[in-house]
Amino acid sequence: MCGIVGLFIKNPALESQLGALVAPMLSEMTERGPDSAGIAVYRNPQEDGCKITVLAQQQDFDWNTLEAAISNHFSLRNITVTRNHAVLCLDSEIEDVQDWMSDNWSDLSITSAGTNIEIFKGKGNPAEFIDQFDIKSMTGTHALGHTRMATESAITTEHSHPFSTGQDLCLVHNGSLSNHNRLRETLRKKGVQFKTDNDSEVAAGYLSWRLSEGDDLDQALNHAIEDLDGFYTFAIGTRDGFAVMRDPIGCKPAIMAETDDWAAMSSEYRAIATLPGAENARIWEPEPTQIYSWKRS
Amino acid sequence: MTEINLDKSSVRDLNVELQGGSSGDKFSVNNTVGKHALSVGLTTAVNVEINGHVGYYCAGMNQQANIVINGNAGPGLAENMMSGEVRITGNASQYAAATAHGGLLVIEGDSSSRCGISMKGVNIVVGGSIGHMSAFMAQSGCLVVCGDAGDALGDSIYEAKIYVRGNVKSLGTDCIEKEMRDEHKAELKELLMQSKMNHGVEEFRRYGSARKLYNFDIDQVDDY
């Protein structure tokens, strides 16, 4: 069992409250996933530049050394450190930064890359995570969150969701995949890299691979229905919005709701009930294998 | 009328109070905000009106009580109901009335997948449509659908009866369309009246078991 929440702001006046709106949703999903929590937030777009989120294995990592080193190689706009995460905004080509990071900083991992996305995650109770990362004060256009109850692999920050699936893309998953070991080996042969033995990371890697093969998101998800065996409700964050898809049996729950001000999805209605105007929202349950997406126009 | 506000009372307090009610008592429940297991395990003929959307397993194991939900429900509405009546004005999620032995569940809106899975005598009337795998292994009782039914309706069905007014996307294994005889028309008419659904009996088709799948010979029904 896990909990998923997603919130897409339609009324720009609410963008300043994105974190304040999403934090109670995440908190409400604690019982579905008390092991760890994570969030992908889309904000502060870096025009003509890039943004990466870096996760340090040590809580007391000295970010000054990274800042000094990266400034020697790249044009760093700014670095924002929150506990063991840092968001770096740069003028450089994102692939160059990613290559340099993986060549030189083995104890750091990149959890997100793009122009808008930032990903934060940590093991422990979602309430602690919300406080530690000050989720309530986050502003932005949309966010996806996850609370994890681990069923098939260890409880670590690296095993926590969301998983990056490409530039400004991420995945959160409720369910379990049964063919992830074989699929991971197949994808490794195609050059996809994995950091953990987690099944959801395989789904993320699969989507990354399909997208790199030229699929658009809908095509990648339709291929996923063929190639992923197991149960899933996926929510996929994109630069402009997010998409939701359930497995063909529709085993894992999902509920969606929309008002003039926002569109939201969650594993359960009680997370959506925390939003203003939820009681009068249009509410529906997504059909199996149908892709639902919201996009900024 | 006793009012219970879930802003102030816990779900456990609510259920204890409802379970302690006497026949004919009236309760209204407010500020539900999708909470789970509301109004469960009632065993007397109390009247409960729930205002707002509810989470999992609302009205589970109901006996005798009359429960109205003004809103939508999450998975497992009226699961394992024994008797009484549960009515919801909105939609119900997966496996509504799963394994339920008796009573009447009325869903005025739609119900999603696995509606009436393994039903054992309950009557279910859905004003809208139902999702895939509904009435899977349904043993007895009636499932009435005023809208459409999803894929694999009545898969591995035993002796439950299914009446559908709209389209059936596909029938499950061993489920077939059957003749509407007078006794079925009378039964359906009664259920439509009880559930206050305003449709003519002749608009419905009946589906049930081809009796080829399970190891049971209907000709020897008295021996079981």
Side-chain angles (χ1 to χ4, degrees):
Chain A
M1 193 187 268
C2 292
I4 298 178
V5 302
L7 181 64
F8 175 81
I9 301 291
K10 291 165 71 181
N11 175 359
L14 285 177
E15 286 180 8
S16 61
Q17 296 172 47
L18 179 72
L21 293 172
V22 115
M25 295 179 75
L26 200 58
S27 192
E28 196 62 44
M29 289 295 94
T30 299
E31 286 161 24
R32 295 188 68 91
D35 298 338
S36 42
I39 193 165
V41 58
Y42 291 80
R43 58 175 174 178
N44 306 335
Q46 297 298 305
E47 309 256 330
D48 306 318
C50 69
K51 175 161 46 167
I52 60 170
T53 313
V54 177
L55 169 69
Q57 278 166 16
Q58 311 96 306
Q59 288 291 337
D60 57 351
F61 180 80
D62 181 5
W63 293 103
N64 291 325
T65 58
L66 175 71
E67 185 175 353
I70 205 165
S71 299
N72 281 335
H73 288 82
F74 301 99
S75 167
L76 181 68
R77 289 178 179 174
N78 56 65
I79 172 169
T80 312
V81 174
T82 314
R83 297 177 68 88
N84 57 340
H85 290 60
V87 176
L88 289 84
C89 298
L90 305 110
D91 280 319
S92 321
E93 289 295 324
I94 200 158
E95 289 82 5
D96 296 344
V97 183
Q98 285 171 308
D99 289 346
W100 180 81
M101 290 288 302
S102 63
D103 289 347
N104 296 287
W105 299 85
S106 58
D107 48 353
L108 297 178
S109 55
I110 295 177
T111 57
S112 79
T115 58
N116 294 37
I117 191 172
E118 299 172 21
I119 288 180
F120 304 92
K121 47 194 181 180
K123 64 176 178 174
N125 191 288
E128 287 168 25
F129 169 78
I130 287 166
D131 283 347
Q132 287 166 355
F133 288 88
D134 198 15
I135 304 298
K136 287 178 186 156
S137 72
M138 285 180 173
T139 61
T141 51
H142 53 295
L144 281 186
H146 188 267
T147 60
R148 180 166 185 246
M149 185 182 285
T151 52
E152 46 58 62
S153 59
I155 300 168
T156 74
T157 299
E158 287 74 18
H159 283 79
S160 310
H161 304 221
F163 289 104
S164 171
T165 59
Q167 288 190 23
D168 280 320
L169 288 167
C170 71
L171 173 87
V172 292
H173 171 211
N174 172 205
S176 56
L177 302 178
S178 45
N179 65 339
H180 64 100
N181 284 327
R182 180 163 295 176
L183 190 56
R184 188 184 296 106
E185 291 317 305
T186 309
L187 290 168
R188 275 196 171 127
K189 286 178 192 143
K190 296 180 189 297
V192 182
Q193 290 178 12
F194 294 97
K195 291 171 191 143
T196 73
D197 55 348
N198 180 286
D199 62 338
S200 311
E201 190 188 13
V202 173
Y206 177 85
L207 292 176
S208 305
W209 168 66
R210 286 308 323 166
L211 292 162
S212 72
E213 292 287 299
D215 279 6
D216 62 24
L217 185 59
D218 281 17
Q219 289 168 328
L221 285 169
N222 281 319
H223 278 117
I225 296 168
E226 301 299 319
D227 289 335
L228 300 182
D229 186 19
F231 302 128
Y232 47 85
T233 292
F234 290 140
I236 298 104
T238 67
R239 186 174 301 157
D240 306 319
F242 65 78
V244 174
M245 187 181 77
R246 297 172 78 200
D247 68 64
I249 296 174
C251 193
K252 291 294 169 184
I255 186 90
M256 304 176 88
E258 189 168 12
T259 68
D260 290 344
D261 288 336
W262 47 260
M265 76 79 56
S266 180
S267 301
E268 296 179 28
Y269 172 75
R270 60 184 165 136
I272 290 170
T274 63
L275 293 169
E279 61 278 11
N280 297 316
R282 188 170 76 88
I283 296 170
W284 73 100
E285 192 172 291
E287 296 277 338
T289 69
Q290 199 169 318
I291 300 164
Y292 297 80
S293 51
W294 280 288
K295 238 184 189 166
R296 199 145 281 268
S297 50
Chain B
M1 172 85 75
T2 308
E3 231 182 278
I4 302 165
N5 191 333
L6 291 174
D7 258 1
K8 300 184 184 89
S9 301
S10 70
V11 171
R12 178 154 298 180
D13 291 342
L14 166 79
N15 285 323
V16 166
E17 183 155 4
L18 296 180
Q19 287 161 8
S22 305
S23 180
D25 284 358
K26 288 189 170 136
F27 297 91
S28 89
V29 182
N30 297 302
N31 281 309
T32 54
V33 293
K35 286 183 178 168
H36 295 179
L38 300 183
S39 193
V40 297
L42 308 193
T43 54
T44 49
V46 295
N47 298 293
V48 183
E49 185 166 17
I50 299 174
N51 300 307
H53 305 314
V54 297
Y56 283 48
Y57 308 124
C58 183
M61 301 177 286
N62 188 53
Q63 289 186 56
Q64 299 194 51
N66 179 28
I67 301 171
V68 175
I69 302 143
N70 294 309
N72 300 317
L77 174 67
E79 188 169 86
N80 213 49
M81 174 158 69
M82 304 303 286
S83 62
E85 183 176 327
V86 175
R87 174 180 283 267
I88 183 160
T89 59
N91 304 324
S93 184
Q94 306 183 81
Y95 45 90
T99 74
H101 290 246
L104 174 67
L105 171 64
V106 181
I107 298 166
E108 293 184 1
D110 298 326
S111 187
S112 64
S113 62
R114 295 172 273 269
C115 181
I117 182 170
S118 195
M119 55 194 276
K120 294 178 172 70
V122 68
N123 289 320
I124 307 169
V125 181
V126 182
S129 298
I130 58 172
H132 61 276
M133 294 300 282
S134 288
F136 176 66
M137 293 186 83
Q139 288 144 58
S140 80
C142 297
L143 171 61
V144 179
V145 185
C146 301
D148 301 329
D151 271 322
L153 177 70
D155 194 286
S156 309
I157 190 171
Y158 293 82
E159 291 302 309
K161 282 167 272 185
I162 306 174
Y163 300 99
V164 183
R165 183 165 158 268
N167 296 317
V168 173
K169 199 167 177 197
S170 67
L171 290 172
T173 304
D174 212 35
C175 185
I176 54 169
E177 186 175 349
K178 295 183 143 184
E179 183 196 358
M180 270 285 233
R181 295 195 298 268
D182 288 345
E183 76 230 49
H184 304 118
K185 288 178 185 165
E187 174 180 66
L188 177 58
K189 192 175 175 187
E190 176 67 25
L191 284 170
L192 289 169
M193 206 172 67
Q194 274 181 35
S195 56
K196 302 187 184 74
M197 296 291 169
N198 199 14
H199 300 296
V201 166
E202 62 288 346
E203 297 169 42
F204 287 80
R205 290 161 175 252
R206 178 169 78 100
Y207 303 88
S209 179
R211 297 174 178 141
K212 289 183 178 155
L213 189 63
Y214 61 93
N215 276 329
F216 170 77
D217 188 346
I218 195 69
D219 293 328
Q220 291 159 21
V221 70
D222 292 336
D223 297 340
Y224 288 91

